[in-house]
Amino acid sequence: MSKLLIQFSHLFKSFGSNLIFDDISLSINQGEIFALIGENGSGKTTLLNLLTGTVLPDAGVFSKASNLSIGFLPQEISLPRLDISARAYIEEGPLSELERQMQACLDQPDRLAEWEKLHERYEQLGGYQRLPIEKILSGLKLETSLLDLSMATLSSGQRVRIALAKALIENPDLLLLDEPTNHLDQEILEWLKKTLSCRQGSTIIVSHDRKFLNETCNHLIEIKNGKLSCYGGNYDFYLKEKEKLLEKQIKAFEAQEEERKILKQKIKAITFSEKKAPPPSDRNIMAYDRRGEHHQKFLQHNLDVLKAKLTEIEENLLKHPKPKNIKGLRFSSTPLASSVAIELDNISKAFGEKILFSDFNKRICKGDRIILSGPNGCGKTTLLRCIAGLLSVDAGVIRYAPTAKIVYLDQEVEFLPMGKTPFEYFENRFNLSEEDLRKELHKAAIGGYELLNRPFSTLSVGQRKRLMLLSLILETPNVLLLDEPTNHLDFLTLEAFETALLNFDGAILAVSHDFTFIDKIANQEWKF
């Protein structure tokens, strides 16, 4: 029987008046790999923080195995110091500190007893379970020379992979990964799948990558309306079970509606029926009156029973089980007069001695849905930024159709004015009042009303991305440049976004490692 790592029951959690979890329970056993899914803002990150202990529940019973080690890859990497090196960031933690203390004890023979206590603690915390740093860096395609650079000077992709390396090297009993697949190319994703499958501990993964979840996870947790639902299989298994559940809910709803209809018809029939029994044929008036009285009592009793049944049903009405979807997310593009939107004529770009592309010739035409593929660092994002006009090419020419209207969605949504609120941004850029902005959000069905007066810097990447989608729509573009567009989106928004792209009649050039997205959207591929 596998070891129980964490168990909690009847757990509640609120932030102010906002109830996040309402009487939830969960058990996590050794060897289980969970996918954790839910809409943006449903509480996925809060649940991870509850498991680490950085957030405490308001009520409930919470227990952990003794000496349980927990590793956590957060969605956004916060640095303890701006000048901290990648090596120091990886090594920072209780195990490295214990190693330093143990070494200091070994240098002083009179501290042997202290060393034994430290060593016992080191073993309890899983010090000897740690994985070789060289093996992890190699799998994540991180050069050892990066370890001596400060984390602040690394790209966002490199910082995420360094943080992922830190979590994997510790090889904890419970590994929590919040969006680990961002910035990973296919080769690294394959390596990560194998690494996670070989772990003895348990892992919980939040990810937008449906293929990765399918091939990695053996359990799934869904957060919805403050509740947890657990499924004993991967993402495809979850979809099948949800479909079965939906069929049952539809049948139950339809049966209840039919019963309500029949009860109302019977109540109406009795209410408007004849109030008296048929007249006597033998002139026995007294017997007739008695029959009439019994008849009235019988009718009233039936009416009371029917009304009681109807009241009970209407006090426990089932909601229509039709699954929630987002229908308003759609692009209205500015007409593109010519068939060719953008022409890349012998363009080249290098950084120092590293040549990313040279003498590159391509056309982007109306109706193209092009995926840029290739390993990390090969120049995909650089090409997008050159086309968007954010970088200049070293040689060659980029030609644009006179009516081309281009928008660029960057990977981490970093080009938004972080010090401004969404309302200030949309008011300045699109001359929208707060009421108009709320209407546009409602029309696009992407929510976020409660975020309008908070600075972008306080919002999660997922929240910023949903608001950026509205910005793209309001621009009415005919060329979309998308850098990892599926990162940080919940499945509901992601599926609506994919539908909007399929109905977009302009041109799309996208960088993505999400195979499900690529299969749905792409009609061309440029391999770097």
Side-chain angles (χ1 to χ4, degrees):
M1 187 175 176
S2 58
K3 179 182 176 183
L4 180 64
L5 302 181
I6 285 183
Q7 186 173 46
F8 59 78
S9 57
H10 305 298
L11 187 146
F12 293 81
K13 182 62 190 175
S14 298
F15 291 109
S17 60
N18 187 19
L19 179 64
I20 304 296
F21 294 125
D22 179 15
D23 193 13
I24 62 171
S25 301
L26 181 67
S27 297
I28 300 171
N29 296 288
Q30 191 175 42
E32 294 175 332
I33 305 178
F34 289 90
L36 177 59
I37 68 170
E39 294 178 30
N40 284 344
S42 62
K44 299 188 295 294
T45 298
T46 301
L47 181 61
L48 298 182
N49 287 327
L50 283 165
L51 294 172
T52 62
T54 53
V55 168
L56 299 177
D58 299 330
V61 179
F62 195 108
S63 62
K64 296 181 181 180
S66 59
N67 300 314
L68 180 74
S69 58
I70 300 176
F72 183 28
L73 172 72
Q75 188 175 141
E76 296 185 67
I77 311 303
S78 59
L79 303 178
R81 306 185 309 277
L82 285 177
D83 62 343
I84 189 171
S85 70
R87 187 186 304 277
Y89 178 84
I90 288 174
E91 292 178 351
E92 193 172 55
L95 289 173
S96 296
E97 180 58 30
L98 281 171
E99 285 176 349
R100 284 191 284 271
Q101 293 177 16
M102 287 162 61
Q103 185 59 48
C105 291
L106 289 175
D107 295 338
Q108 302 175 45
D110 59 330
R111 297 178 64 187
L112 188 58
E114 186 181 345
W115 179 89
E116 288 178 352
K117 289 180 181 178
L118 291 171
H119 181 258
E120 183 180 353
R121 179 65 178 156
Y122 185 75
E123 282 186 313
Q124 289 173 346
L125 290 176
Y128 292 111
Q129 297 175 25
R130 299 177 93 183
L131 301 176
I133 187 170
E134 297 80 8
K135 178 182 176 182
I136 300 300
L137 293 179
S138 173
L140 291 171
K141 293 185 182 178
L142 290 166
E143 297 174 2
T144 53
S145 59
L146 288 177
L147 295 179
D148 298 320
L149 301 178
S150 73
M151 287 286 284
T153 63
L154 301 181
S155 69
S156 56
Q158 288 170 330
R159 283 199 298 272
V160 168
R161 282 184 284 153
I162 288 289
L164 180 55
K166 176 183 176 71
L168 292 172
I169 287 165
E170 292 172 353
N171 196 19
D173 299 320
L174 177 60
L175 180 61
L176 309 175
L177 302 176
D178 197 351
E179 294 283 6
T181 57
N182 296 348
H183 308 284
L184 303 187
D185 61 34
Q186 187 54 32
E187 190 177 340
I188 300 176
L189 281 173
E190 291 299 324
W191 174 86
L192 182 58
K193 287 177 200 171
K194 291 177 183 175
T195 301
L196 295 178
S197 66
C198 293
R199 273 178 39 80
Q200 290 186 343
S202 183
T203 307
I204 298 180
I205 304 168
V206 177
S207 176
H208 64 277
D209 191 325
R210 291 149 288 187
K211 186 173 186 288
F212 179 81
L213 294 180
N214 256 338
E215 296 177 355
T216 306
C217 300
N218 50 32
H219 290 73
L220 185 142
I221 304 167
E222 181 187 32
I223 303 178
K224 189 173 183 180
N225 300 325
K227 300 289 187 181
L228 298 188
S229 300
C230 296
Y231 298 83
N234 63 7
Y235 185 69
D236 276 349
F237 175 82
Y238 154 78
L239 290 178
K240 290 174 184 174
E241 290 299 302
K242 287 285 284 186
E243 194 173 337
K244 291 177 187 175
L245 179 61
L246 181 60
E247 287 177 6
K248 289 181 182 177
Q249 290 172 335
I250 289 173
K251 286 179 181 177
F253 176 81
E254 290 174 346
Q256 188 184 70
E257 287 298 292
E258 181 64 22
E259 187 174 3
R260 284 178 72 203
K261 180 181 175 183
I262 292 170
L263 286 171
K264 286 180 178 180
Q265 288 174 344
K266 288 181 177 179
I267 290 170
K268 184 179 179 181
I270 292 175
T271 303
F272 294 99
S273 65
E274 293 183 18
K275 301 299 181 184
K276 295 182 179 180
S281 57
D282 56 0
R283 299 185 180 276
N284 188 340
I285 301 299
M286 290 182 65
Y288 168 70
D289 288 341
R290 283 197 299 274
R291 285 199 305 274
E293 183 182 348
H294 290 318
H295 181 67
Q296 288 298 107
K297 286 182 177 179
F298 175 75
L299 289 177
Q300 188 60 47
H301 173 73
N302 279 355
L303 188 62
D304 291 342
V305 169
L306 292 171
K307 284 183 175 179
K309 282 184 180 179
L310 183 61
T311 300
E312 183 182 356
I313 288 173
E314 293 189 333
E315 286 176 352
N316 299 279
L317 275 180
L318 298 174
K319 292 183 180 179
H320 194 290
K322 185 178 180 181
K324 182 182 176 184
N325 57 14
I326 297 175
K327 292 182 178 179
L329 193 60
R330 59 173 61 91
F331 292 92
S332 299
S333 60
T334 300
L336 189 62
S338 59
S339 60
V340 179
I342 299 170
E343 186 174 6
L344 312 178
D345 186 0
N346 286 314
I347 63 170
S348 301
K349 185 66 182 177
F351 289 106
E353 296 181 357
K354 185 174 183 180
I355 299 172
L356 295 178
F357 46 86
S358 63
D359 298 325
F360 189 69
N361 293 279
K362 286 287 184 182
R363 285 182 171 184
I364 303 173
C365 300
K366 183 178 180 179
D368 284 348
R369 297 197 298 270
I370 305 162
I371 293 293
L372 269 173
S373 65
N376 287 341
C378 69
K380 302 185 298 296
T381 293
T382 300
L383 179 63
L384 287 186
R385 293 189 175 187
C386 287
I387 296 172
L390 300 171
L391 290 173
S392 59
V393 294
D394 298 336
V397 179
I398 301 177
R399 298 189 184 91
Y400 304 91
T403 53
K405 193 171 184 182
I406 301 168
V407 293
Y408 172 53
L409 177 65
D410 63 303
Q411 194 167 151
E412 297 298 316
V413 205
E414 294 171 330
F415 292 126
L416 288 169
M418 293 299 170
K420 290 186 176 181
T421 66
F423 169 59
E424 291 169 337
Y425 169 75
F426 283 98
E427 182 185 40
N428 293 339
R429 188 162 185 83
F430 302 104
N431 197 29
L432 290 178
S433 67
E434 186 166 350
E435 183 182 354
D436 290 337
L437 178 54
R438 287 175 178 270
K439 286 178 181 176
E440 292 294 340
L441 283 167
H442 177 73
K443 194 162 59 177
I446 56 176
Y449 315 110
E450 73 284 0
L451 309 174
L452 296 184
N453 292 300
R454 288 172 49 187
F456 279 113
S457 59
T458 67
L459 307 184
S460 70
V461 182
Q463 290 167 332
R464 294 201 299 265
K465 201 152 199 174
R466 285 161 69 94
L467 290 164
M468 192 61 189
L469 288 182
L470 177 61
S471 179
L472 299 187
I473 290 168
L474 294 174
E475 293 282 3
T476 63
N478 47 37
V479 179
L480 298 175
L481 304 178
L482 309 173
D483 197 354
E484 296 289 0
T486 63
N487 287 3
H488 307 292
L489 293 180
D490 60 61
F491 291 137
L492 197 64
T493 308
L494 175 53
E495 288 172 3
F497 184 45
E498 288 169 343
T499 301
L501 293 180
L502 289 171
N503 293 323
F504 179 64
D505 59 6
I508 300 170
L509 179 63
V511 173
S512 180
H513 294 111
D514 185 332
F515 271 81
T516 308
F517 176 82
I518 292 169
D519 288 344
K520 281 187 176 182
I521 300 301
N523 58 22
Q524 283 189 56
E525 183 179 11
W526 293 356
K527 291 186 177 181
F528 266 42

